[in-house]
Amino acid sequence: MGLSGAKAVLPQLWGAVFPRLDPQNFRPHSLHHAERAWPETNCYVDLLVEAIAAKKFDPLPALAFTVTQDFEGDQIGFFKFPAGDLETLYGFRIQELAIFDCVEEHIAQQVARGRLCLIELDSFFLPDTQGVTYRRAHGKTTVGVNRIDIARRRLEYFHNAGYFALEGEDFDGLFRRGDFAPQDAPFLPYTEMVKFDPAPADKDWRGESLTLLRRHVARMPVDNPVAAFAAALPDQARRLEHKPDGFFHTYAFNTLRQLGANFGLLADYLGWLEAQGEQGLTGAAEAARIRDAAKVAQFQLARALARRRYDALSGLLAPAAEDWDRLAGALRARYG
């Protein structure tokens, strides 16, 4: 019998991975404080930061991977926690969840087993995106489902820097129910689940994290990604003239925001290492300057687009490119 034929027993399965979480009084981790230059990074990293914190772990030891970000020719790399790092540090095992029947019932089954489900959904129906995409534009984003109640049509979920709830018509829209059910078979969303193994209480966080850092330093880009992006920026900016209204934000998200947010986390990580006893460590200041330069560049790009003058953009990130060279050299000398 398929899952859709098991509705009578499903109410016994509904629950929550983190039962104590409440959207009304949720406090984001300090990595998501509003005063930060980039309080949000990308949907995948942000929700896992909050999931790690919900498990009473510190996300900072897992940020070594940020040294590997590269310019991919058309975009800055969309950075994500490597699954192996999360398993090593926290006992988080991430694996794909096969979706072949009723999506919400698959999710309910796994949440009842204590697994956090990471699912790609349409932000058109996510009320936490009010003023951006909620009921305005369709867009793919990943949320972490913590609690689901199919009978009440209610969902509680991690998304970006927070923890939220939705219900009713938004629930139906997300899962293509009722009036939102398509006539043809829908394209089933990509979904992962996080299984939680116990992590030793006496873990050597600094030692484990440094092992990961050495591995990631060996995978750093050979060529300076900030310089490569800076060289491509003027031509990319010129093409924005011919894009629809609002495309600027899509472009900036996939370039300058990813660059700035990644190096903001790297600055935090290197600061954490120093606080853990890595004396004489350098690089945090350089990473912070790259973070800030990306923020400034985003404003300058908007101004250049309004004026349709792009030549100055090529030198806009030159100091940040020099900071990357110094940062990479210091890390390779110490951990290469």
Side-chain angles (χ1 to χ4, degrees), residues 13-263:
L13 300 176
W14 298 333
V17 182
F18 303 107
R20 296 181 181 274
L21 289 186
D22 180 356
Q24 297 299 319
N25 57 28
F26 180 77
R27 291 187 177 184
H29 188 270
S30 60
L31 289 175
H32 289 143
H33 283 180
E35 65 271 13
R36 292 173 60 84
W38 302 93
E40 294 181 354
T41 60
N42 61 58
C43 56
Y44 197 87
V45 166
D46 285 336
L47 76 86
L48 281 170
V49 163
E50 295 300 341
I52 292 167
K55 269 290 188 181
K56 308 302 182 186
F57 295 126
D58 185 352
L60 285 162
L63 297 178
F65 74 96
T66 52
V67 303
T68 64
Q69 189 181 55
D70 203 353
F71 175 58
E72 307 298 345
D74 57 349
Q75 62 197 268
I76 297 291
F78 188 92
F79 60 101
K80 300 171 70 172
F81 288 107
D85 291 14
L86 296 180
E87 184 170 359
T88 295
L89 291 170
Y90 309 114
F92 284 25
R93 287 188 288 135
I94 300 179
Q95 67 182 63
E96 183 172 350
L97 174 62
I99 299 293
F100 56 87
D101 203 334
C102 179
V103 175
E104 59 269 37
E105 293 179 8
H106 279 297
I107 300 298
Q109 288 272 1
Q110 300 308 322
V111 168
R113 292 169 176 258
R115 286 104 179 243
L116 185 71
C117 290
L118 313 182
I119 180 170
E120 291 185 343
L121 294 175
D122 186 353
S123 58
F124 186 87
F125 297 104
L126 294 178
D128 64 281
T129 67
Q130 182 77 43
V132 182
T133 56
Y134 181 56
R135 300 305 178 107
R136 297 175 62 179
H138 296 278
K140 180 187 71 172
T141 192
T142 301
V143 310
V145 177
N146 178 57
R147 180 181 278 114
I148 184 169
D149 187 329
I150 299 176
R152 292 175 57 204
R153 297 153 65 212
R154 178 177 172 84
L155 190 76
E156 293 183 16
Y157 60 100
F158 295 102
H159 186 225
N160 292 330
Y163 180 68
F164 308 97
L166 61 82
E167 57 190 358
E169 190 177 79
D170 290 328
F171 187 95
D172 293 341
L174 285 176
F175 295 111
R176 305 300 188 215
R177 296 158 54 95
D179 293 340
F180 297 98
Q183 293 183 353
D184 299 326
F187 182 85
L188 297 173
Y190 180 72
T191 309
E192 296 174 318
M193 61 179 173
V194 185
K195 296 181 177 181
F196 301 102
D197 292 336
D202 58 350
K203 179 181 287 289
D204 176 10
W205 294 102
R206 173 183 152 193
E208 295 270 12
S209 185
L210 284 174
T211 298
L212 297 175
L213 177 59
R214 293 185 182 95
R215 186 180 308 156
H216 291 308
V217 165
R219 297 169 51 240
M220 289 182 73
V222 174
D223 298 320
N224 186 320
V226 181
F229 171 56
L233 182 56
D235 286 340
Q236 291 186 345
R238 288 186 183 92
R239 290 199 292 271
L240 294 178
E241 287 185 18
H242 310 292
K243 297 293 185 179
D245 291 343
F247 188 82
F248 169 84
H249 300 290
T250 301
Y251 173 78
F253 173 86
N254 287 288
T255 54
L256 291 163
R257 175 166 158 180
Q258 294 311 299
L259 178 67
N262 178 83
F263 280 91

Side-chain angles (χ1 to χ4, degrees), residues 265-300:
L265 292 182
L266 178 55
D268 294 318
Y269 173 67
L270 296 175
W272 174 82
L273 277 180
E274 190 170 13
Q276 298 301 307
E278 282 291 285
Q279 299 300 319
L281 180 63
T282 59
E286 286 81 1
R289 286 196 293 268
I290 297 172
R291 171 200 68 199
D292 296 340
K295 193 77 170 181
V296 172
Q298 184 166 271
F299 291 114
Q300 294 294 334

